[in-house]
Amino acid sequence: RSEQARLGSSLIEEDTEEWQKDASFAGLERVGGVDLSYIKGDESRACASLVVLSYPAMEVLYEDCRMVTVSAPYMAGFLAFREVPFLVEAVQRLQQEEPRLRPQVLLVDGNGLLHPRGFGVACHLGVLTDLPCIGVAKNLLQTDGLVRDELHREQIRSLQKEGDTFPLTGTSGRARGMVRCGDSSNSSKPLYISVGHRVCLETAVHLVKSCCRYRIPEPIRQVQTDARELRK
């Protein structure tokens, strides 16, 4: 908790980059995606993956997918201490091998401010790498009074078309993130978008939308595809 609080003091919840100021994201050329996915039946072996795609074409520029041994135990609310070190290493390798392909923003398969202490995996990775980061999760992390109850399910059912959203405002009155319908054919499976670092929520939602060809934004979809192939 003290480490999260220490790192959290450096968290920036607003846009800091020139490309973020333009509605069409002029100047944005490289978008990254990161994920740590586990071998089925073995929580000690995982695939740490990083991809960099061109923007807006979404063509693969760089891939790094490696098997790693995970030794830190899982503890609810502290997932970053188990996973982020491997993702930081992937970013560092990219910086050493192909610095010109350093992503201008990272989409993280996980949460940012949508976290019990407002410091999820996307925040942790963003602060340590000093890269703009966005959390994109498939399930609601219950915190600040936000629960997947009937009211929440009814709100999800109210999403009529791809791109529809509603804010996740907790009992504290703070907007923790945004729910987005990621697939017009199945709005019952939304995305939970939250600020990671050096980006505001509005920009985060807009960027995720612009990166979607399917339900999952392309940087995360691509990184998960690579991981599946390596695990096989």
Side-chain angles (χ1 to χ4, degrees):
R1 288 173 182 266
S2 61
E3 181 68 359
Q4 286 177 329
R6 184 184 71 81
L7 293 173
S9 65
S10 300
L11 185 65
I12 300 173
E13 301 176 30
E14 58 190 34
D15 293 339
T16 61
E17 310 304 299
E18 284 299 317
W19 59 263
Q20 295 166 334
K21 300 175 183 178
D22 188 284
S24 63
F25 296 136
L28 178 60
E29 299 177 345
R30 299 173 305 282
V31 179
V34 293
D35 183 36
L36 195 81
S37 55
Y38 296 86
I39 298 294
K40 188 175 182 179
D42 184 357
E43 290 297 302
S44 67
R45 293 283 290 165
C47 182
S49 306
L50 162 68
V51 300
V52 180
L53 306 183
S54 64
Y55 186 91
M58 295 289 114
E59 296 177 347
V60 176
L61 302 175
Y62 176 90
E63 297 174 289
D64 184 347
C65 196
R66 304 188 183 202
M67 296 305 301
V68 297
T69 300
V70 182
S71 58
Y74 170 75
M75 294 178 63
F78 300 97
L79 180 65
F81 293 95
R82 178 174 167 85
E83 298 189 349
V84 165
F86 301 107
L87 303 179
V88 170
E89 288 177 0
V91 173
Q92 291 173 339
R93 281 194 299 271
L94 167 59
Q95 183 63 34
Q96 293 169 358
E97 297 170 3
E98 296 283 356
R100 64 185 181 84
L101 296 180
R102 180 179 172 86
Q104 293 163 275
V105 59
L106 282 174
L107 271 58
V108 183
D109 183 27
N111 292 292
L113 292 180
L114 186 57
H115 179 271
R117 285 167 296 285
F119 200 74
V121 172
C123 298
H124 206 120
L125 181 63
V127 170
L128 290 182
T129 61
D130 199 31
L131 284 170
C133 283
I134 298 170
V136 184
K138 303 178 191 68
N139 298 295
L140 175 65
L141 181 60
Q142 301 185 156
T143 182
D144 195 13
L146 295 166
V147 294
R148 195 175 177 86
D149 56 10
E150 184 53 37
L151 174 59
H152 183 75
R153 287 189 285 270
E154 180 58 36
Q155 289 175 308
I156 290 175
R157 286 193 290 268
S158 72
L159 300 176
Q160 297 297 312
K161 61 182 183 301
E162 185 175 353
D164 278 358
T165 62
F166 68 83
L168 287 165
T169 303
T171 54
S172 65
R174 182 183 185 186
R176 295 285 186 159
M178 190 77 73
V179 180
R180 178 179 185 273
C181 178
D183 186 336
S184 57
S185 67
N186 192 352
S187 62
S188 65
K189 292 185 177 181
L191 298 175
Y192 295 87
I193 303 168
S194 57
V195 169
H197 183 52
R198 293 177 59 181
V199 62
C200 74
L201 183 57
E202 180 181 1
T203 298
V205 173
H206 182 33
L207 180 61
V208 169
K209 178 181 179 180
S210 72
C211 289
C212 284
R213 291 177 176 171
Y214 307 97
R215 176 192 171 218
I216 306 298
E218 202 63 16
I220 292 179
R221 194 183 76 86
Q222 186 65 53
V223 83
Q224 291 176 340
T225 298
D226 287 354
R228 281 195 295 271
E229 290 302 314
L230 181 59
R231 292 199 307 270
K232 287 179 182 177

